[in-house]
Amino acid sequence: RNALKMSVKERVERDEDVCAEASKLTCLYYEAMDRKRDKIGHLYVSVEPTLVWNGNTMQGYDDICKFIQQLPQTDHNIQSVDAQRLPSIAETNDLPEGIIMNIAGTVTMGLTSHGFVQNIVLMREDGKFKIKSDRFRYID
């Protein structure tokens, strides 16, 4: 439904839905990344997902899963998550409904810690929000 025609109550409910989806994905993603790497692939869309990890680009489900599996053990500490709904353009279907997430925190890999930012675009696949685009960068 067009956001301009929504009541304040409908907008608040929509924002709460976005926050709930973002919170759920954040918990699942970092739990998988830190403790269950073999499950991380289930969080990405099956068709043409993209990961850019500190400037290294991986395209496609298999390449992303393989790359993540070879990373050293991690421990993430999330300090902030912001989530915004991406608009749906129903007339042309050019941009399906989605969510953009901006995450900041620290990650420990072995004996080294880094600040990081991560931008994730979620799209619906099989009725669930999954990662279409994932951009991760150290900030120190």
Side-chain angles (χ1 to χ4, degrees):
R1 182 174 155 157
N2 186 326
L4 296 175
K5 296 179 182 178
M6 296 174 112
S7 70
V8 171
K9 181 181 178 193
E10 288 173 315
R11 286 187 206 152
V12 168
E13 288 172 355
R14 191 171 171 176
D15 284 347
E16 288 172 350
D17 290 345
V18 167
C19 291
E21 290 291 341
S23 179
K24 181 169 78 175
L25 190 280
T26 300
C27 290
L28 290 170
Y29 180 89
Y30 292 105
E31 174 70 18
M33 193 67 177
D34 292 343
R35 291 170 192 80
K36 300 176 184 175
R37 290 265 174 93
D38 59 322
K39 307 291 185 202
I40 195 103
H42 299 291
L43 300 176
Y44 286 84
V45 296
S46 58
V47 179
E48 298 181 16
T50 303
L51 168 65
V52 178
W53 187 276
N54 287 310
N56 300 297
T57 302
M58 275 59 63
Q59 193 94 33
Y61 180 87
D62 291 336
D63 287 347
I64 290 171
C65 291
K66 191 183 321 178
F67 177 80
I68 289 174
Q69 289 294 326
Q70 61 84 33
L71 290 172
Q73 181 63 39
T74 56
D75 184 32
H76 289 83
N77 180 7
I78 306 307
Q79 294 162 345
S80 72
V81 177
D82 179 54
Q84 303 292 322
R85 184 176 297 277
L86 294 172
S88 177
I89 303 174
E91 299 81 31
T92 62
N93 215 14
D94 286 343
L95 181 64
E97 180 181 42
I99 297 172
I100 187 164
M101 296 173 55
N102 298 299
I103 303 153
T106 58
V107 59
T108 301
M109 299 176 108
L111 300 175
T112 307
S113 289
H114 298 280
F116 75 90
V117 292
Q118 189 167 13
N119 301 301
I120 295 175
V121 175
L122 305 175
M123 295 292 172
R124 283 197 190 272
E125 182 178 85
D126 300 327
K128 298 177 186 172
F129 278 105
K130 294 187 175 186
I131 300 169
K132 176 68 175 171
S133 175
D134 185 354
R135 305 290 190 263
F136 181 96
R137 182 163 302 276
Y138 295 142
I139 54 173
D140 52 12

